[in-house]
Amino acid sequence: PRSTLFPYTTLFRSTVLQVTANNSGSPALPYTSAITGAFSIASNACGNSVPAVTACNLTVTFSPVQTGAATGALTFTDAFGTQTVALSGTGLAPPTDALSLTTLTFPGSIVGQLSTAQTVTLTNSGGVSLTSIAVSVSGAFQQTNACTAILPANSSCAISVQFDPTVVGNQSGTLTVSDVTRAQPQTVGLSGVGIAPPAFGVSPSSLNFASQQLNQASAPQTLTVTNTGGAPLADVGFQITGTSAGSFSTGST
């Protein structure tokens, strides 16, 4: 008996391995063959007999239907008996390309400023590598990713997406992920709202107080601070300066 070992193979047809039949005598040697298990004869250059003093080749392919180890046998039967070639291989699940999300929605982001990143994960839970991976993005969005062209079996990689609004208002785009397993790429819908930056204003631009008796406070006058932008205005502060700054004070409203 001889053994033919197939490498790890996805649940499709494998490459072929060769078996040689040899007739060292004369005349031609008729034979019959049979094969068992998840294996098949891909080609047979011998026909139904091996010519005299000749060697000829058969090729065998492995077509696993489930994951795990598989065995079979190729048998040759002629007038002198039966010879067996033991066959073995391991079936592996095909690659997957699952995306963790199908949409990403970004909160209001200031025009001209990158938002906080959100993440989409690409996962291959199959038994072989996922290949020909390509990632792109459209619209007012940017992406960086840790996905190379090949994602190994039982692993994942992260795609980081940021919103980069260019105008005020609703904006949309698409994250596109393609690989060898799909005729059409997968997409993730992207949306966000661009908002105007904060706009600081003070009114009026000056305050004029009437003549006032020493050590007595005047009637108050009011300054109004406004933000006419679309984003909050942080860290607002004020102070009184000048040579007579001590003659003025502020209250709160």
Side-chain angles (χ1 to χ4, degrees):
R2 293 174 293 170
S3 295
T4 298
L5 176 64
F6 287 80
Y8 294 99
T9 305
T10 55
L11 302 184
F12 302 103
R13 187 176 297 274
S14 71
T15 55
V16 297
L17 294 181
Q18 182 174 283
V19 176
T20 300
N22 182 61
N23 179 9
S24 59
S26 181
L29 182 63
Y31 74 93
T32 59
S33 63
I35 195 166
T36 63
F39 304 88
S40 59
I41 297 174
S43 65
N44 182 357
C46 301
N48 296 321
S49 65
V50 183
V53 195
T54 302
C56 55
N57 299 319
L58 297 86
T59 58
V60 179
T61 189
F62 177 38
S63 302
V65 295
Q66 61 186 23
T67 59
T71 59
L74 173 62
T75 58
F76 297 88
T77 303
D78 55 38
F80 300 97
T82 299
Q83 299 184 71
T84 301
V85 178
L87 307 174
S88 63
T90 301
L92 296 175
T96 68
D97 59 354
L99 293 177
S100 59
L101 297 169
T102 57
T103 60
L104 283 179
T105 301
F106 290 82
S109 300
I110 297 174
V111 171
Q113 295 185 20
L114 282 173
S115 71
T116 300
Q118 297 192 44
T119 300
V120 176
T121 302
L122 173 64
T123 300
N124 174 16
S125 57
V128 294
S129 295
L130 178 67
T131 60
S132 302
I133 299 169
V135 181
S136 62
V137 72
S138 67
F141 301 86
Q142 298 182 14
Q143 68 85 20
T144 57
N145 69 83
C147 305
T148 63
I150 299 175
L151 183 61
N154 299 303
S155 64
S156 61
C157 61
I159 304 168
S160 179
V161 182
Q162 290 178 282
F163 180 35
D164 185 15
T166 55
V167 296
V168 173
N170 294 323
Q171 296 177 61
S172 61
T174 303
L175 174 68
T176 302
V177 181
S178 61
D179 59 69
V180 72
T181 68
R182 293 178 184 263
Q184 298 296 325
Q186 298 185 88
T187 58
V188 176
L190 309 175
S191 61
V193 178
I195 58 177
F200 180 77
V202 177
S203 179
S205 60
S206 64
L207 295 176
N208 295 311
F209 291 87
S211 298
Q212 184 67 27
Q213 183 177 330
L214 294 178
N215 299 318
Q216 289 190 10
S218 69
Q221 296 191 41
T222 300
L223 284 173
T224 301
V225 177
T226 59
N227 173 17
T228 56
L233 187 64
D235 299 324
V236 177
F238 55 87
Q239 60 181 335
I240 298 173
T241 61
T243 56
S244 300
S247 296
F248 300 90
S249 61
T250 61
S252 60
T253 59

